[in-house]
């Protein structure tokens, strides 16, 4: 018995999976067995009778996905006609195979020496292509990790942890890529195969963010720092330090207002383009405020603290520090300050 194989590793078509291949071969075996047995039965005549005149026979096999059509031809009986284009066309018409016909194959098959008892691919459909889903490409990290900087000599600065993601109004937080539409396919019987369109991307839009007019970017609607919370990006105008400015936070460098709910420890730097508010004590550190500096308790500089404010400085007391202010300096007491 012949070994039947079905090869679908053609360009633009994915190979059958093992399960699909077995299923197709099973269907093919049933068809070949039935048609071959019927053809063979015609040759079994009683003694003295002649084999009937039958033209060449063509059977069409269409795969389950209806993307490929194959033919197998049996030779004529008696004085029947050899395989020709008319017989081929009639067989295809009966199975309604009309799309993706391999015309060159159909033209040459009747004259081929191997035209009988062989499976021949005669039509190829177009596979449907589903659209791709839209997606978002982040330009800011959703999870900020503490990263100490290292200088050219390999020294690690543990006061610089880069925990703040500053952003200007109008800057891009993430890019938005639209979905694509699906491309419908076509079966060998000229029927449409529907395709799924891609889904829209879920844009992580939060407070003080907006989508650009062309819909391709999520942008900041104000200057501040970017945080990712509750599945959305948010831009906050005030940066809160819920404790001391120390090795757990590193230096603070922020485009907006800063509110420190503890102390500013020695050796650290706090810079802000807006107002800096400190609920505790400022020790021997560097403070630079684009607007005002407000210290609820006081500044203990140890002759090392440098305080700069482009407007005013307000503190309970100032000791052993250098203070630069363009407008007002207000304190209950000052001791050994420049």
């Amino acid at each position: 018995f012949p070994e039947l194989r079905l090869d679908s590793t053609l360009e633009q078509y994915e190979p059958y999976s093992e399960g699909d291949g077995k299923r197709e071969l099973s269907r093919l075996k049933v068809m070949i067995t039935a048609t071959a047995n019927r053809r063979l039965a015609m040759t079994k005549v009683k003694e003295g009778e002649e084999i009937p005149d039958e033209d060449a026979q063509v059977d069409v096999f269409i795969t389950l996905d209806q993307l490929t059509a194959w033919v197998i031809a049996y030779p004529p009986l008696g004085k029947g006609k050899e395989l020709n284009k008319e017989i081929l066309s009639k067989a295809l018409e009966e199975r309604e195979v009309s799309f993706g016909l391999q015309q060159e194959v159909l033209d040459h098959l009747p004259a081929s020496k191997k035209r009988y008892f062989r499976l021949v691919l005669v039509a190829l459909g177009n596979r449907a292509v589903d659209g791709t889903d839209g997606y978002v490409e982040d330009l800011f990290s959703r999870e900020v990790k503490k990263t100490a900087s290292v200088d050219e000599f390999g020294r690690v600065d543990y006061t610089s942890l880069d925990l703040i993601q500053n952003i200007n109004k109008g800057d891009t937080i993430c890019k938005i890529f639209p979905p694509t539409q699906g491309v419908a396919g076509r079966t060998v019987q000229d029927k449409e195969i529907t395709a799924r369109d891609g889904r829209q991307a879920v844009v992580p839009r939060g407070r003080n963010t907006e989508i650009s007019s062309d819909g391709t970017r999520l942008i900041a609607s104000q200057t501040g720092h970017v945080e990712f919370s509750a599945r959305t990006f948010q831009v906050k105008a005030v940066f809160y330090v819920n404790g001391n400015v120390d090795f757990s936070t590193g230096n603070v460098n922020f485009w907006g207002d800063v509110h420190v709910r503890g102390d500013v420890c020695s050796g650290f730097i706090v810079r802000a383009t807006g107002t800096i508010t400190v609920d505790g004590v400022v020790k021997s550190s560097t403070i630079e405020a684009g607007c005002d500096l407000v210290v609820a308790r006081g500044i203990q500089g140890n002759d090392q603290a440098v305080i700069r404010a482009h407007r005013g400085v307000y503190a309970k007391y100032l000791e052993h520090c250098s203070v630069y202010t363009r407008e007002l300096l207000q304190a209950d007491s000052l001791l050994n300050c420049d």
Side-chain angles (χ1 to χ4, degrees), residues 318-332:
L318 290 89
E319 297 179 0
H320 302 279
C321 59
S322 298
V323 181
Y324 302 82
T325 176
R326 291 182 181 274
E327 297 181 9
L328 183 65
L329 170 61
Q330 180 176 319
D332 290 351

Side-chain angles (χ1 to χ4, degrees), residues 12 18-19 29 33 49 53 60 63 65 75 77 79 85 96 109 112 127 145 162 175 178 181 188 196 209 266 283 286:
Q12 88 187 74
E18 184 177 351
K29 183 178 179 180
T33 302
E49 294 182 358
D53 297 332
V60 180
T63 52
D65 56 15
L77 301 179
K79 298 178 181 179
K85 293 182 181 179
E96 299 179 351
L109 183 60
S112 173
R127 189 180 297 278
K145 297 180 180 179
D162 294 330
K175 296 179 181 179
Q181 290 187 331
V188 293
R196 180 185 65 84
T209 65
S266 299
K283 299 180 181 179
T286 300

Side-chain angles (χ1 to χ4, degrees), residues 226-270:
V226 179
E227 287 186 3
F228 186 79
S229 176
R231 299 182 181 180
T232 61
F233 280 108
Q234 304 175 24
V235 177
K236 296 183 178 180
V238 179
F239 181 73
Y240 291 96
V241 179
N242 295 317
N244 298 333
V245 176
D246 53 21
F247 288 106
S248 66
T249 63
N251 297 329
V252 175
N253 188 2
F254 180 59
W255 300 347
D257 297 338
V258 173
H259 191 153
V260 180
R261 291 183 169 133
D263 300 335
V264 179
C265 297
S266 299
F268 289 89
I269 301 171
V270 179

Side-chain angles (χ1 to χ4, degrees), residues 7-18:
D7 184 8
S8 68
T9 57
L10 302 163
E11 283 187 45
Q12 88 187 74
Y13 289 94
E14 299 175 2
Y16 284 112
S17 66
E18 184 177 351

Side-chain angles (χ1 to χ4, degrees), residues 164 166-167 222-225 227 235-241 252-260 270-278 288-294 311:
I164 301 175
N166 289 308
I167 192 169
Q222 71 170 35
T223 298
H225 73 105
E227 287 186 3
V235 177
K236 296 183 178 180
V238 179
F239 181 73
Y240 291 96
V241 179
V252 175
N253 188 2
F254 180 59
W255 300 347
D257 297 338
V258 173
H259 191 153
V260 180
V270 179
R271 292 189 178 97
T273 59
T275 296
I276 298 175
T277 303
V278 181
E288 296 181 7
C291 293
D292 298 320
L293 170 64
V294 180
R311 289 205 308 214

